């Protein structure tokens, strides 16, 4: 049984930071810190222009087996750390991608996947948009499964800001 409880008044934030600095502690910026200039240099599209029935398009081809951020509102807020795929024991394909929130505020992103056959033709309808919740400076995983088995050879994930 607790007979006596003491409550301490919270120390105002500036005084708390001063006390930490005087005690030799270093106040660091929360991690991870995303270097968006370096990330944007890594982002690229395939070098080949898109083909159209009328000839060459001025648009660049989007590479398969990758994540395409299709929304300019979120492109400087998230970083796709990795993308992978594997065939499940049932023969379907599981795609997953690790997404990092590079901001100091919560984000809602959405992603969907298109699966393709060996000739790069869509092998099934594009999946529904799935919401990804990202707390500040955290990561989360987007996952999708194909419905087809042997007809899936490639995939492309599209990502946008949550609506």
């Amino acid at each position: 049984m607790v007979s006596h409880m003491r409550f301490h008044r919270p120390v105002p934030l500036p005084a708390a930071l001063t006390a930490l600095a005087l005690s030799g502690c270093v106040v660091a910026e929360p991690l991870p810190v995303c270097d968006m200039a370096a990330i944007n240099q890594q982002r690229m599209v395939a070098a080949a222009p898109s083909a159209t029935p009328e000839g060459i398009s001025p648009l660049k081809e989007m590479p398969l087996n990758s994540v395409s951020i299709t929304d300019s509102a979120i492109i400087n807020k998230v970083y796709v750390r990795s993308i992978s795929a594997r065939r499940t024991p049932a023969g379907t394909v599981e795609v997953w991608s690790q997404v990092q929130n590079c901001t100091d505020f919560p984000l809602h992103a959405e992603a969907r996947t298109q699966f393709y056959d060996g000739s790069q033709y869509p092998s099934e309808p594009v999946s529904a948009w799935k919401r990804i919740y990202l707390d500040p400076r955290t990561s989360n995983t987007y996952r999708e499964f194909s419905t087809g088995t042997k007809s899936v050879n490639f995939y492309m994930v599209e990502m946008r800001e949550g609506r």
Side-chain angles (χ1 to χ4, degrees):
M1 180 171 142
V2 177
S3 61
H4 181 68
M5 294 180 73
R6 295 182 81 182
F7 292 97
H8 296 283
R9 216 170 115 218
V11 177
L13 186 59
L17 290 176
T18 303
L20 281 175
L22 292 175
S23 69
C25 294
V26 176
V27 178
E29 185 174 347
L31 293 177
V33 176
C34 301
D35 181 353
M36 293 313 291
I39 290 169
N40 286 332
Q41 287 178 352
Q42 290 177 354
R43 290 181 176 145
M44 60 180 197
V45 293
S50 299
T52 66
E54 295 80 35
I56 301 296
S57 167
L59 299 175
K60 297 288 185 180
E61 196 69 49
M62 293 305 300
L64 293 176
N65 302 340
S66 67
V67 175
S68 173
I69 300 174
T70 59
D71 184 356
S72 60
I74 199 171
I75 198 159
N76 288 319
K77 298 176 184 176
V78 297
Y79 173 59
V80 179
R81 294 175 63 186
S82 65
I83 183 157
S84 298
R86 66 180 169 198
R87 200 156 296 272
T88 68
T92 61
V93 174
E94 176 188 18
V95 173
W96 69 95
S97 181
Q98 191 74 25
V99 181
Q100 178 73 48
N101 178 355
C102 293
T103 72
D104 291 325
F105 52 88
L107 283 177
H108 295 170
E110 294 179 335
R112 67 180 183 177
T113 304
Q114 177 72 66
F115 292 97
Y116 298 91
D117 66 14
S119 65
Q120 299 182 9
Y121 185 80
S123 59
E124 57 192 64
V126 67
S127 71
W129 289 102
K130 282 188 181 176
R131 187 157 286 215
I132 306 162
Y133 299 96
L134 298 156
D135 285 328
R137 298 194 182 272
T138 64
S139 63
N140 203 343
T141 302
Y142 164 76
R143 289 178 39 182
E144 188 62 68
F145 293 87
S146 69
T147 56
T149 54
K150 299 196 186 305
S151 64
V152 177
N153 295 84
F154 304 101
Y155 60 87
M156 182 188 295
V157 176
E158 290 177 84
M159 186 174 291
R160 69 182 185 191
E161 192 161 27
R163 312 236 175 195

